Amino acid sequence: MTESFQDRLDGLRARMAAACARAGRAPDEVQLIAISKTFGAEHVRAAAACGVRIFGENKVQEAEAKLPACPGRLSWHLVGHLQSNKAARAVALFDQIHAVDSLKLLQRLESAAKAEGKRLPVLLEINVSGESSKFGLSPAAAPELLAAADALEYAQVAGLMTMPPFTPEAEKARMHFRRLRELRDEWRAQFGLPLAELSMGMSHDFEVAIEEGATWVRIGTALFGER
Ligand SMILES: *Cc1c(COP(=O)(O)O)cnc(C)c1O
């Protein structure tokens, strides 16, 4: 018999709670984003029927087709790379944007959020490993955006996000998650922003991310199955 979505969700929540307990954190400090990319609206509706309320997508175009078919009070996060020319479309669809990686994009999001009259939490994607093929700001480039954040009225820089280089061994991601938290602590003091959110951890490494301070974990495969 195949495992139901509810079984996978229960198992995932138990592992999240255990990771919180190991780290001496309260379970409600970490929120689950169900990453529904490549899965159709019927999968989102089934997950919503099990009580999942927060979903993540990585492409604006896919979300434009899917969201209208997913009724109910769901919250949608864009977790993938966003080109600045799609900022307005993204703001119309999503409640939070996780991978802001340029000042131009941040400013476009501010204008679009202002036009919609919508408060928009955003996260800065930091390339902590320095791996050249990845999206994300280098730690040296982020302060320019953090300095600009204070003047924004609608886009609110709420924290940081990272995607470590892929490795099947979760422990190898630990140093990157820890580095993101250290950068957050440093920048929080330097720029006087709360930077409360750390979006880090996916299906294979979310437990390590929680131990290192994640507040958002982005889980696709462990909930919906292989893509
Ligand atoms: C696909 C994706 C995830 C989820 O990955 P899984 O390994 O399936 O859990 C998380 N974050 C981002 C940015 C993604 O694109």
Side-chain angles (χ1 to χ4, degrees):
M1 213 181 90
T2 57
E3 218 185 4
S4 69
F5 184 89
Q6 185 73 60
D7 293 338
R8 288 195 296 265
L9 180 63
D10 291 346
L12 178 64
R13 289 208 190 279
R15 287 171 63 193
M16 288 174 62
C20 284
R22 281 196 298 279
R25 305 180 63 199
D28 65 2
E29 285 177 43
V30 186
Q31 300 218 66
L32 169 65
I33 307 174
I35 306 295
S36 49
K37 67 184 184 195
T38 78
F39 287 92
E42 68 280 13
H43 292 268
V44 172
R45 293 194 298 263
C50 294
V52 177
R53 286 288 167 272
I54 306 172
F55 292 88
E57 289 284 329
N58 71 337
K59 293 198 176 91
V60 170
Q61 198 169 341
E62 184 179 341
E64 278 172 336
K66 196 182 297 183
L67 270 58
C70 301
R73 287 230 310 259
L74 306 181
S75 179
W76 290 91
H77 292 209
L78 180 65
V79 300
H81 178 68
L82 176 62
Q83 290 167 270
S84 22
N85 62 8
K86 291 185 186 163
R89 284 162 65 194
V91 170
L93 292 167
F94 291 99
D95 302 306
Q96 295 207 26
I97 309 281
H98 281 239
V100 174
D101 63 357
S102 73
L103 185 58
K104 181 176 164 193
L105 175 58
L106 182 60
Q107 287 166 341
R108 294 260 179 114
L109 289 169
E110 166 72 6
S111 311
K114 184 174 186 172
E116 297 249 346
K118 180 172 177 175
R119 191 184 145 278
L120 183 75
V122 305
L123 306 177
L124 304 185
E125 181 178 2
I126 310 296
N127 179 350
V128 281
S129 70
E131 200 188 31
S132 61
S133 62
K134 275 280 176 65
F135 291 120
L137 293 154
S138 72
E144 187 190 12
L145 281 76
L146 291 161
D150 203 33
L152 306 178
E153 281 183 78
Y154 293 85
Q156 182 203 12
V157 178
L160 308 176
M161 177 269 203
T162 201
M163 291 260 278
F166 180 79
T167 150
E169 289 169 74
E171 274 303 327
K172 290 197 172 153
R174 185 181 296 277
M175 59 188 269
H176 303 299
F177 295 145
R178 183 171 299 171
R179 183 75 189 122
L180 192 71
R181 172 166 47 87
E182 289 169 353
L183 286 167
R184 188 277 303 274
D185 293 347
E186 199 178 301
W187 291 335
R188 177 156 62 183
Q190 191 179 343
F191 294 93
L193 297 166
L195 300 178
E197 309 298 344
L198 290 177
S199 169
M200 56 189 197
M202 315 192 343
S203 291
H204 66 288
D205 59 12
F206 69 89
E207 288 154 307
V208 172
I210 288 172
E211 288 167 15
E212 295 300 330
T215 63
W216 292 113
V217 290
R218 309 181 309 265
I219 310 291
T221 314
L223 280 175
F224 293 105
E226 295 291 335
R227 288 183 291 274

